[in-house]
Amino acid sequence: MPVELTPSQALGLWHSVTLEQVRVDSRDLTLRQMAILLQIYLVPPPHTVRGLAATLGVTKPVITRALDTMGALGLVDRVRDERDRRNVVIKRTVEGALYLEKFGDLIINQGRRLPL
Amino acid sequence: MPVELTPSQALGLWHSVTLEQVRVDSRDLTLRQMAILLQIYLVPPPHTVRGLAATLGVTKPVITRALDTMGALGLVDRVRDERDRRNVVIKRTVEGALYLEKFGDLIINQGRRLPL
DNA sequence: GGCGATCGTTACGCAAGCGTTTCTTTTACG
DNA sequence: CGTAAAAGAAACGCTTGCGTAACGATCGCC
């Protein structure tokens, strides 16, 4: 079920969601961090540093740093892969799921509130 | 005309748009910068540093710095208000309008492409 | 077993953002 | 006038992110 949006609706939605998120949340995730977080929570695991780097089209240190930051915020977790100990598997956390759930609600509510 | 989204659609839309934006554009605007840019282009002028700071709930230097950065990118422009020379009026640019137009298209296209 | 390849991290120097405080210019108003 | 208030910018020290390059740990395979 695709979502059909007019240009005004598309940018208006982004405007109100972004604005509200800035006002409400002190955790100011960058665009890249947000992309990584959504990728981890919306795409079936497993997720690795290398895989995320390839998906986003960025270098591996970018992923490592983003995981450092978001790990400190409790939004993601890292676990060594015991089958191949070179790999690190990125795990979801309860707090991260909660964060995205609230963010999803924000999008939905701002979508409803778009000018008629 | 409100936009009705399911949680899966809301986050899925954000996911694909964010991901594509990271992949396509080297200009990595922060959430705050994006909020400022959208406010300038979607809300009727005039826009001032003080007004934007109040709207976003941040301090004035945050706005000044964001305008510095986005000004260097050609996305916005600053002009002294001749009626009250203490004020600075933030102006839109052709390049900024183009940037948001392309971004709007990205949202619309990713919305259409959401899983059925 | 040894050796090249792979994975993630760390180190480095640099650029950009932050909050707080201070400064400059301009206005308002007694 | 002249003095206080207001708007925006600049200064300060700090934190965080960047890209490139180098590094240690682990695997695969002969």
Side-chain angles (χ1 to χ4, degrees):
Chain A
M1 68 225 295
V3 175
E4 284 294 339
L5 295 169
T6 67
S8 166
Q9 284 177 330
L11 289 176
L13 178 63
W14 224 263
H15 177 218
S16 59
V17 170
T18 305
L19 205 55
E20 199 57 25
Q21 182 70 7
V22 166
R23 276 199 277 238
V24 160
D25 199 317
S26 60
R27 286 172 295 194
D28 192 23
L29 297 193
T30 69
L31 193 70
R32 287 173 168 187
Q33 290 169 343
M34 198 59 179
I36 293 170
L37 194 64
L38 285 164
Q39 181 75 16
I40 292 170
Y41 279 84
L42 296 186
V43 173
H47 297 286
T48 64
V49 172
R50 174 172 171 69
L52 290 172
T55 300
L56 292 239
V58 299
T59 60
K60 289 188 294 177
V62 167
I63 306 296
T64 294
R65 278 187 295 251
L67 294 179
D68 286 346
T69 303
M70 294 193 293
L73 293 175
L75 299 178
V76 299
D77 198 10
R78 272 188 277 205
V79 179
R80 258 302 147 201
D81 179 0
E82 287 303 334
R83 300 196 323 152
D84 182 343
R85 294 186 46 77
R86 287 173 303 180
N87 291 339
V88 162
V89 180
I90 292 104
K91 298 288 191 187
R92 302 169 184 168
T93 66
V94 174
E95 191 171 344
L98 215 67
Y99 177 85
L100 283 187
E101 184 183 326
K102 291 205 309 185
F103 188 67
D105 288 344
L106 175 59
I107 299 171
I108 292 170
N109 288 330
Q110 295 300 330
R112 286 210 188 94
R113 211 162 294 173
L114 277 181
L116 315 194
Chain B
M1 64 221 300
V3 175
E4 284 294 339
L5 295 170
T6 67
S8 165
Q9 285 177 328
L11 290 176
L13 178 63
W14 224 264
H15 176 218
S16 59
V17 170
T18 305
L19 205 55
E20 199 56 25
Q21 182 69 7
V22 166
R23 276 200 277 237
V24 161
D25 199 317
S26 61
R27 286 172 294 195
D28 192 23
L29 297 193
T30 69
L31 193 69
R32 286 174 168 186
Q33 290 169 343
M34 199 59 180
I36 293 169
L37 193 65
L38 285 164
Q39 181 75 15
I40 292 169
Y41 279 84
L42 296 185
V43 173
H47 297 285
T48 65
V49 172
R50 175 174 170 66
L52 290 172
T55 301
L56 291 241
V58 299
T59 60
K60 290 190 293 176
V62 166
I63 306 295
T64 294
R65 277 188 295 253
L67 294 179
D68 286 345
T69 302
M70 293 192 292
L73 293 175
L75 299 177
V76 299
D77 198 9
R78 272 187 277 204
V79 178
R80 257 307 144 197
D81 180 0
E82 287 304 332
R83 301 195 323 153
D84 182 343
R85 294 186 47 77
R86 286 175 303 183
N87 291 339
V88 161
V89 180
I90 292 104
K91 298 287 190 185
R92 302 168 185 170
T93 67
V94 174
E95 193 171 342
L98 215 66
Y99 177 85
L100 283 186
E101 185 184 326
K102 290 204 310 187
F103 188 66
D105 288 344
L106 175 59
I107 299 171
I108 292 169
N109 287 331
Q110 295 300 329
R112 286 212 189 93
R113 212 161 294 173
L114 278 181
L116 315 195

